[in-house]
Amino acid sequence: MSETSGLPPADTSPDKAIPLPIPHPRPPRLPSSLRNLQAWLPIYLSKTDANLTRVSSILSTPSGTDTVLLTICYTSLLTSSVLSSISLSRIRQQALSVIEKAISLPPNTTLYISTSDIPPSRLLIVSARLKALSSLISDFRIFARLWGLLGMYSWGKRVWNQDGGDQVVRRIVGVQVLSNIAYQYLENMAYLSSKGVCGWSAEKQNRAWVWSSRFWAVHVLLDFLRLGRERSEQRKVVKWKGREEEAEREEQEFWARWRRQLVVNLAYAPLTVHWSLEKGLVGEFWVGLLGSVAGLAGLKELWRKSGLS
């Protein structure tokens, strides 16, 4: 007898069948570049959204808008000056090369140079456009300052009604208010006259531009005195017991603000002297560089504050 003769027959009904796994095709593997894009795209979008929000916050205030425009204005002028210098240097080298070749020609040789075949310098084109942008922004900023006398009235009112504080600093700021009122009045009249709104002559306009810059120079000089006074007073501050951490944080904030204002004034000081002279003092490169330093210092602080909100 067979060993399997006593076993029951196998149940081959469909209900009792064990289903076999059906192989599914694996999805195609994405290239590494697409996988990296899928991984980093949400992060990029999140950072872009955060940065755009901070830029919107800065541009939502008149002072923030002016700081951004100031920075663009002077960095454009600086870039224009650099590109112009590079382009002119290349043109000078090409001209010297042509002269050397002309000298090496035999005597009585006619040399003909067609200037129409010389392509325009792209660097000079970009330089001219950046300079035009800088000039446009400068004109707009002067126009936007036409209402500056109202802000100076509020500034002077706050100084007048101020109670307490260092009286020396208060007097310095009071003189700054008067200096800025004179500066703003002269600038407004010179600008409006240059547009035909007011009737000052060209000669009177030029004098007004120069004297407005001199009053601005007085403001910068007084700001150095104010910073010196605040520096000496800050060194006398005694930390209260139980407030060491808070006092240390306040002191760090004071010195950060003090250094930033010092950098801005150090950048503005040569510019005020330059514009206070009828023939100027420095070229466009230095005007762009010093203005860029002042603008970037202010823009950096605005960017920091926009990230705290």
Side-chain angles (χ1 to χ4, degrees):
M1 178 181 289
S2 171
E3 294 181 357
T4 59
S5 59
L7 296 177
D11 190 353
T12 58
S13 63
D15 295 337
K16 300 298 183 176
I18 300 176
L20 296 176
I22 301 175
H24 295 281
R26 297 181 61 182
R29 186 176 180 83
L30 294 174
S32 59
S33 58
L34 291 180
R35 293 199 305 272
N36 291 336
L37 180 61
Q38 283 185 336
W40 287 101
L41 186 59
I43 300 176
Y44 289 149
L45 292 177
S46 176
K47 289 185 177 181
T48 301
D49 175 70
N51 290 334
L52 291 177
T53 302
R54 296 174 74 173
V55 172
S56 176
S57 175
I58 292 173
L59 294 176
S60 64
T61 62
S63 60
T65 301
D66 184 70
T67 302
V68 172
L69 290 176
L70 180 149
T71 306
I72 297 175
C73 175
Y74 286 112
T75 53
S76 297
L77 183 62
L78 175 62
T79 307
S80 171
S81 178
V82 172
L83 293 180
S84 177
S85 298
I86 295 174
S87 180
L88 292 176
S89 176
R90 291 179 179 178
I91 293 174
R92 191 179 299 110
Q93 291 176 358
Q94 292 174 357
L96 290 175
S97 175
V98 171
I99 293 173
E100 290 176 357
K101 292 179 179 178
I103 294 174
S104 63
L105 292 175
N108 301 325
T109 301
T110 302
L111 179 65
Y112 175 75
I113 300 176
S114 177
T115 57
S116 60
D117 296 334
I118 301 176
S121 172
R122 297 197 177 197
L123 291 181
L124 279 181
I125 294 174
V126 175
S127 173
R129 291 176 178 174
L130 288 174
K131 188 174 181 179
L133 174 63
S134 175
S135 178
L136 175 63
I137 294 175
S138 178
D139 190 275
F140 175 80
R141 292 183 64 235
I142 296 174
F143 176 82
R145 287 199 298 267
L146 288 175
W147 295 268
L149 287 173
L150 296 176
M152 290 175 190
Y153 168 77
S154 301
W155 181 23
K157 186 177 179 180
R158 288 196 304 271
V159 175
W160 180 266
N161 295 329
Q162 180 182 350
D163 294 328
D166 189 354
Q167 293 303 310
V168 175
V169 173
R170 182 184 178 187
R171 293 189 187 99
I172 292 174
V173 176
V175 179
Q176 283 182 308
V177 172
L178 297 176
S179 175
N180 277 272
I181 290 174
Y183 151 76
Q184 194 61 68
Y185 168 75
L186 291 172
E187 184 187 74
N188 287 357
M189 292 300 296
Y191 178 75
L192 292 175
S193 296
S194 69
K195 302 300 181 181
V197 178
C198 296
W200 283 9
S201 64
E203 182 181 356
K204 194 171 183 179
Q205 291 174 36
N206 292 334
R207 289 201 305 269
W209 287 118
V210 170
W211 276 100
S212 67
S213 298
R214 290 172 181 174
F215 281 114
W216 183 22
V218 171
H219 166 83
V220 174
L221 176 61
L222 291 171
D223 230 27
F224 282 121
L225 297 178
R226 177 185 64 81
L227 290 173
R229 174 69 179 184
E230 291 180 350
R231 179 176 180 271
S232 62
E233 290 298 307
Q234 182 66 22
R235 293 185 178 277
K236 299 177 183 178
V237 174
V238 179
K239 296 180 181 179
W240 298 350
K241 292 184 178 180
R243 294 186 59 205
E244 287 82 358
E245 293 183 1
E246 182 179 352
E248 184 177 356
R249 184 177 63 255
E250 291 177 354
E251 185 176 7
Q252 291 176 351
E253 292 176 354
F254 168 83
W255 287 115
R257 181 176 65 255
W258 189 90
R259 294 188 190 95
R260 184 180 66 257
Q261 293 177 357
L262 179 63
V263 169
V264 171
N265 282 298
L266 287 174
Y268 274 143
L271 293 179
T272 59
V273 175
H274 167 70
W275 286 314
S276 297
L277 302 175
E278 294 183 359
K279 295 184 179 180
L281 182 65
V282 295
E284 290 184 347
F285 172 81
W286 289 105
V287 172
L289 178 62
L290 294 170
S292 297
V293 171
L296 290 172
L299 189 60
K300 180 181 178 182
E301 177 63 12
L302 288 177
W303 186 261
R304 184 189 69 84
K305 288 182 178 181
S306 67
L308 299 178
S309 58

